[in-house]
Amino acid sequence: MADAMLGRLARWLRVLGFDTVYDEALDDPVLVRIADADGRVLLTRDRHLLRDLRPLRAHEVRQDDPMAQLVDLVHALQLAPPAGLFTRCLVCNTELPAPLPEEELPALLPFPRAQVPGPVRRCPTCGRLYWHGSHARRMRAALDRALPGWGTAG
């Protein structure tokens, strides 16, 4: 669970397939209650939250750069490389289902199917569409620079 200051880190964790709750509207006491009740590690940069609310499991994020935050977290929590990338919605954290059937794509895509490489997935919760375009290649490359070998998962 990531606090309001760690939205970009939460997205990177979701890219890696980690179930990451992030809602910038939640107050600190609510964050701690949810994290404790669900057995989650609360990720925060807020030392006061850690000192005053004392979550059961927490990690203080000290870096400013989201990729440096990710590397530190992977090492601190001894996270294993994922079996695959892009298995969760980056917006709402829902697990993405199997790719959509080809016959559904023309009505959903903003441009011709020929311009969309590979399979297309749709988040069942928020409806966002995902495919492996140039943005995914850039994200994989960034992961490989920060965590060698992780950008080639799945």
Short mmCIF file of all heavy atoms in Angstrom, two decimals, residues 96-126:
data_model
loop_
_atom_site.label_atom_id
_atom_site.label_comp_id
_atom_site.label_asym_id
_atom_site.label_seq_id
_atom_site.Cartn_x
_atom_site.Cartn_y
_atom_site.Cartn_z
N LEU A 96 -5.43 -7.95 -15.02
CA LEU A 96 -5.92 -7.90 -16.40
C LEU A 96 -6.25 -9.30 -16.88
O LEU A 96 -5.46 -10.23 -16.68
CB LEU A 96 -4.88 -7.24 -17.31
CG LEU A 96 -4.57 -5.78 -16.99
CD1 LEU A 96 -3.43 -5.28 -17.88
CD2 LEU A 96 -5.80 -4.91 -17.14
N PRO A 97 -7.39 -9.45 -17.55
CA PRO A 97 -7.79 -10.76 -18.06
C PRO A 97 -7.05 -11.11 -19.36
O PRO A 97 -6.20 -10.34 -19.82
CB PRO A 97 -9.29 -10.59 -18.31
CG PRO A 97 -9.43 -9.14 -18.63
CD PRO A 97 -8.39 -8.43 -17.79
N ALA A 98 -7.42 -12.22 -19.93
CA ALA A 98 -6.84 -12.66 -21.20
C ALA A 98 -7.09 -11.60 -22.28
O ALA A 98 -8.00 -10.77 -22.16
CB ALA A 98 -7.48 -13.98 -21.62
N PRO A 99 -6.27 -11.61 -23.33
CA PRO A 99 -6.47 -10.64 -24.42
C PRO A 99 -7.87 -10.72 -25.01
O PRO A 99 -8.52 -11.76 -25.01
CB PRO A 99 -5.42 -11.05 -25.45
CG PRO A 99 -4.36 -11.76 -24.66
CD PRO A 99 -5.10 -12.47 -23.56
N LEU A 100 -8.31 -9.58 -25.53
CA LEU A 100 -9.62 -9.48 -26.16
C LEU A 100 -9.64 -10.22 -27.49
O LEU A 100 -8.63 -10.26 -28.19
CB LEU A 100 -9.99 -8.02 -26.39
CG LEU A 100 -10.19 -7.17 -25.14
CD1 LEU A 100 -10.25 -5.69 -25.50
CD2 LEU A 100 -11.45 -7.59 -24.41
N PRO A 101 -10.79 -10.75 -27.86
CA PRO A 101 -10.91 -11.38 -29.19
C PRO A 101 -10.75 -10.32 -30.29
O PRO A 101 -11.18 -9.17 -30.13
CB PRO A 101 -12.32 -11.94 -29.19
CG PRO A 101 -12.78 -11.94 -27.77
CD PRO A 101 -11.99 -10.87 -27.07
N GLU A 102 -10.15 -10.72 -31.37
CA GLU A 102 -9.90 -9.79 -32.50
C GLU A 102 -11.16 -9.07 -32.96
O GLU A 102 -11.11 -7.90 -33.31
CB GLU A 102 -9.27 -10.54 -33.67
CG GLU A 102 -7.82 -10.88 -33.47
CD GLU A 102 -6.91 -9.66 -33.40
OE1 GLU A 102 -7.10 -8.69 -34.16
OE2 GLU A 102 -5.99 -9.68 -32.57
N GLU A 103 -12.30 -9.76 -32.97
CA GLU A 103 -13.54 -9.16 -33.51
C GLU A 103 -14.04 -8.00 -32.65
O GLU A 103 -14.80 -7.16 -33.13
CB GLU A 103 -14.63 -10.22 -33.71
CG GLU A 103 -15.07 -10.94 -32.46
CD GLU A 103 -14.26 -12.20 -32.15
OE1 GLU A 103 -13.23 -12.46 -32.79
OE2 GLU A 103 -14.68 -12.93 -31.24
N GLU A 104 -13.62 -7.90 -31.40
CA GLU A 104 -14.05 -6.79 -30.53
C GLU A 104 -13.19 -5.54 -30.69
O GLU A 104 -13.60 -4.44 -30.32
CB GLU A 104 -14.00 -7.22 -29.06
CG GLU A 104 -15.03 -8.24 -28.67
CD GLU A 104 -14.98 -8.57 -27.18
OE1 GLU A 104 -14.52 -7.73 -26.39
OE2 GLU A 104 -15.41 -9.68 -26.83
N LEU A 105 -11.99 -5.69 -31.25
CA LEU A 105 -11.03 -4.60 -31.27
C LEU A 105 -11.42 -3.40 -32.13
O LEU A 105 -11.21 -2.27 -31.71
CB LEU A 105 -9.65 -5.12 -31.65
CG LEU A 105 -9.07 -6.14 -30.66
CD1 LEU A 105 -7.69 -6.58 -31.12
CD2 LEU A 105 -9.01 -5.57 -29.27
N PRO A 106 -11.96 -3.58 -33.33
CA PRO A 106 -12.26 -2.39 -34.14
C PRO A 106 -13.15 -1.36 -33.44
O PRO A 106 -12.96 -0.16 -33.60
CB PRO A 106 -12.95 -2.96 -35.38
CG PRO A 106 -12.40 -4.35 -35.50
CD PRO A 106 -12.22 -4.81 -34.06
N ALA A 107 -14.08 -1.82 -32.63
CA ALA A 107 -14.99 -0.90 -31.95
C ALA A 107 -14.33 -0.22 -30.74
O ALA A 107 -14.81 0.81 -30.28
CB ALA A 107 -16.24 -1.65 -31.49
N LEU A 108 -13.23 -0.78 -30.25
CA LEU A 108 -12.61 -0.27 -29.03
C LEU A 108 -11.38 0.59 -29.25
O LEU A 108 -11.09 1.49 -28.47
CB LEU A 108 -12.23 -1.44 -28.11
CG LEU A 108 -13.38 -2.28 -27.59
CD1 LEU A 108 -12.83 -3.51 -26.85
CD2 LEU A 108 -14.26 -1.46 -26.67
N LEU A 109 -10.63 0.28 -30.30
CA LEU A 109 -9.36 0.96 -30.51
C LEU A 109 -9.53 2.34 -31.15
O LEU A 109 -10.39 2.51 -32.02
CB LEU A 109 -8.43 0.11 -31.38
CG LEU A 109 -7.98 -1.20 -30.75
CD1 LEU A 109 -7.20 -2.04 -31.76
CD2 LEU A 109 -7.13 -0.93 -29.52
N PRO A 110 -8.71 3.30 -30.75
CA PRO A 110 -8.82 4.66 -31.30
C PRO A 110 -8.22 4.79 -32.70
O PRO A 110 -8.36 5.83 -33.32
CB PRO A 110 -8.04 5.51 -30.29
CG PRO A 110 -7.07 4.56 -29.68
CD PRO A 110 -7.73 3.22 -29.67
N PHE A 111 -7.56 3.74 -33.20
CA PHE A 111 -6.97 3.75 -34.53
C PHE A 111 -6.97 2.33 -35.08
O PHE A 111 -7.30 1.39 -34.36
CB PHE A 111 -5.56 4.34 -34.52
CG PHE A 111 -4.77 4.08 -33.28
CD1 PHE A 111 -4.18 2.84 -33.06
CD2 PHE A 111 -4.64 5.06 -32.32
CE1 PHE A 111 -3.46 2.59 -31.90
CE2 PHE A 111 -3.92 4.80 -31.15
CZ PHE A 111 -3.33 3.58 -30.95
N PRO A 112 -6.64 2.15 -36.37
CA PRO A 112 -6.74 0.82 -36.98
C PRO A 112 -5.92 -0.25 -36.25
O PRO A 112 -4.84 0.01 -35.74
CB PRO A 112 -6.18 1.03 -38.39
CG PRO A 112 -6.35 2.49 -38.65
CD PRO A 112 -6.21 3.16 -37.32
N ARG A 113 -6.45 -1.46 -36.21
CA ARG A 113 -5.82 -2.59 -35.52
C ARG A 113 -4.39 -2.81 -36.01
O ARG A 113 -3.52 -3.19 -35.23
CB ARG A 113 -6.66 -3.86 -35.74
CG ARG A 113 -6.02 -5.14 -35.24
CD ARG A 113 -5.92 -5.13 -33.72
NE ARG A 113 -5.44 -6.41 -33.21
CZ ARG A 113 -4.33 -6.53 -32.49
NH1 ARG A 113 -3.59 -5.49 -32.20
NH2 ARG A 113 -3.97 -7.70 -32.03
N ALA A 114 -4.13 -2.56 -37.27
CA ALA A 114 -2.79 -2.78 -37.82
C ALA A 114 -1.73 -1.93 -37.12
O ALA A 114 -0.56 -2.28 -37.12
CB ALA A 114 -2.79 -2.49 -39.32
N GLN A 115 -2.14 -0.84 -36.49
CA GLN A 115 -1.19 0.04 -35.79
C GLN A 115 -0.94 -0.38 -34.34
O GLN A 115 -0.12 0.23 -33.66
CB GLN A 115 -1.72 1.48 -35.81
CG GLN A 115 -1.78 2.08 -37.19
CD GLN A 115 -2.35 3.50 -37.16
OE1 GLN A 115 -2.66 4.03 -36.11
NE2 GLN A 115 -2.48 4.09 -38.33
N VAL A 116 -1.64 -1.41 -33.88
CA VAL A 116 -1.51 -1.86 -32.49
C VAL A 116 -0.79 -3.21 -32.47
O VAL A 116 -1.32 -4.20 -32.94
CB VAL A 116 -2.90 -2.01 -31.83
CG1 VAL A 116 -2.76 -2.51 -30.40
CG2 VAL A 116 -3.64 -0.69 -31.85
N PRO A 117 0.44 -3.23 -31.94
CA PRO A 117 1.19 -4.48 -31.92
C PRO A 117 0.70 -5.45 -30.85
O PRO A 117 0.41 -5.04 -29.73
CB PRO A 117 2.62 -4.03 -31.61
CG PRO A 117 2.45 -2.78 -30.82
CD PRO A 117 1.20 -2.12 -31.36
N GLY A 118 0.59 -6.70 -31.20
CA GLY A 118 0.31 -7.75 -30.23
C GLY A 118 -1.08 -7.73 -29.65
O GLY A 118 -1.98 -7.03 -30.14
N PRO A 119 -1.27 -8.49 -28.56
CA PRO A 119 -2.59 -8.61 -27.95
C PRO A 119 -3.02 -7.33 -27.25
O PRO A 119 -2.20 -6.51 -26.85
CB PRO A 119 -2.40 -9.74 -26.94
CG PRO A 119 -0.95 -9.75 -26.63
CD PRO A 119 -0.25 -9.29 -27.88
N VAL A 120 -4.33 -7.18 -27.12
CA VAL A 120 -4.92 -6.03 -26.42
C VAL A 120 -5.73 -6.58 -25.24
O VAL A 120 -6.49 -7.52 -25.39
CB VAL A 120 -5.85 -5.23 -27.37
CG1 VAL A 120 -6.52 -4.09 -26.62
CG2 VAL A 120 -5.06 -4.72 -28.57
N ARG A 121 -5.52 -5.96 -24.10
CA ARG A 121 -6.27 -6.34 -22.89
C ARG A 121 -7.08 -5.14 -22.42
O ARG A 121 -6.70 -4.00 -22.65
CB ARG A 121 -5.31 -6.78 -21.78
CG ARG A 121 -4.53 -8.02 -22.14
CD ARG A 121 -3.50 -8.32 -21.06
NE ARG A 121 -2.63 -9.38 -21.45
CZ ARG A 121 -2.73 -10.63 -21.03
NH1 ARG A 121 -3.67 -10.96 -20.20
NH2 ARG A 121 -1.89 -11.54 -21.45
N ARG A 122 -8.18 -5.43 -21.75
CA ARG A 122 -9.04 -4.37 -21.23
C ARG A 122 -9.29 -4.62 -19.76
O ARG A 122 -9.67 -5.71 -19.35
CB ARG A 122 -10.36 -4.36 -21.98
CG ARG A 122 -11.27 -3.23 -21.57
CD ARG A 122 -12.52 -3.23 -22.40
NE ARG A 122 -13.24 -2.01 -22.17
CZ ARG A 122 -14.38 -1.71 -22.75
NH1 ARG A 122 -14.91 -2.53 -23.62
NH2 ARG A 122 -14.98 -0.58 -22.49
N CYS A 123 -9.08 -3.58 -18.97
CA CYS A 123 -9.34 -3.69 -17.54
C CYS A 123 -10.84 -3.86 -17.32
O CYS A 123 -11.63 -3.03 -17.78
CB CYS A 123 -8.83 -2.44 -16.80
SG CYS A 123 -9.22 -2.49 -15.03
N PRO A 124 -11.24 -4.92 -16.61
CA PRO A 124 -12.67 -5.13 -16.37
C PRO A 124 -13.28 -4.13 -15.39
O PRO A 124 -14.50 -3.98 -15.34
CB PRO A 124 -12.73 -6.55 -15.80
CG PRO A 124 -11.39 -6.79 -15.21
CD PRO A 124 -10.42 -5.98 -16.04
N THR A 125 -12.45 -3.42 -14.64
CA THR A 125 -12.96 -2.46 -13.66
C THR A 125 -13.10 -1.06 -14.24
O THR A 125 -14.15 -0.44 -14.16
CB THR A 125 -12.05 -2.44 -12.42
OG1 THR A 125 -11.96 -3.76 -11.88
CG2 THR A 125 -12.59 -1.48 -11.36
N CYS A 126 -12.03 -0.54 -14.84
CA CYS A 126 -12.07 0.85 -15.32
C CYS A 126 -12.15 0.97 -16.85
O CYS A 126 -12.34 2.06 -17.36
CB CYS A 126 -10.88 1.64 -14.79
SG CYS A 126 -9.29 1.19 -15.52
#
